[in-house]
Amino acid sequence: MRIVDLSMTISEDMRVYPGDPRTIVYTWASRSLHGYYANLIVMGEHAGTHVDAPAHFVEDGETVDLVPVEKFMGKGVVVDVSWVDDEVSGEIIHRELGKLSTRIGVGWFVFFYTGYSSERMNRDYPVLSVDAAQMLASRGVNGVGIDAPSIDHEPYRVHRLLLGRGVVIYENLVNLDELLGCAGFMFVGFPLKISGGSASPVRAIAVVEEC
Ligand SMILES: [Zn+2]
């Protein structure tokens, strides 16, 4: 059994989405001064590796504390889209899953490896097309995820569609390349139980039994 850590380290120089608040890590107490060490952390809900709850875009959508906790774990697969320039279509997903002989279904997670978190950094990354989002939602997946700052761009039709269908969205994942070619690993990415939260930072992992 192998565990792959899919989360960024939380720090002040962590990249944030344009317009989002920067992360602050402030030493609240130090061993030399107070006898113990503790920090104060100020960060946006969408900083670093995080999961979006329906309320992020959907009027009366569930906030992160109200989404059932079992929604944040399930079987996962990574689709390699590092060769895609702009949009990932439903057809591409279908073909890539076919290569892995994988049938996704209710409760699954589909992750997209763009390479942004490693070699593609500071370049454009591909996003999901609306038809791809429709296909994934109709399969009943629990969630989708990407190793880039967002699953789509303005006007955020994919965010609206997925969150409107109760599909949660993981962004800024890392190390998805370590899962390429694997399907059916166990994914776990629990959010903090933030009252009224639109999202939450997560410690996401994959538990790989074989492959
Ligand atoms: Zn987000």
Side-chain angles (χ1 to χ4, degrees), residues 107-171:
W108 274 68
F109 289 83
V110 182
F111 300 105
F112 297 92
Y113 172 69
T114 70
Y116 185 88
S117 58
S118 44
E119 73 270 17
R120 203 166 176 156
M121 193 77 150
N122 298 327
R123 281 174 47 205
D124 270 353
Y125 48 88
V127 293
L128 277 200
S129 69
V130 171
D131 84 289
Q134 240 144 16
M135 186 270 270
L136 293 167
S138 69
R139 298 286 179 90
V141 300
N142 267 0
V144 302
I146 195 164
D147 63 339
S150 183
I151 201 91
D152 73 340
H153 302 305
E154 270 191 271
Y156 304 113
R157 289 176 64 201
V158 170
H159 265 87
R160 275 175 230 284
L161 192 152
L162 291 174
L163 296 174
R165 305 272 294 265
V167 178
V168 296
I169 302 170
Y170 289 84
E171 289 162 332

Side-chain angles (χ1 to χ4, degrees), residues 17 20 45-48 50-53 56-57 149-150 159 169-172 198-200:
Y17 198 70
D20 276 9
E45 293 169 325
H46 300 261
H50 68 278
V51 62
D52 289 347
H56 187 33
F57 275 98
S150 183
H159 265 87
I169 302 170
Y170 289 84
E171 289 162 332
N172 285 328
S198 72
S200 168

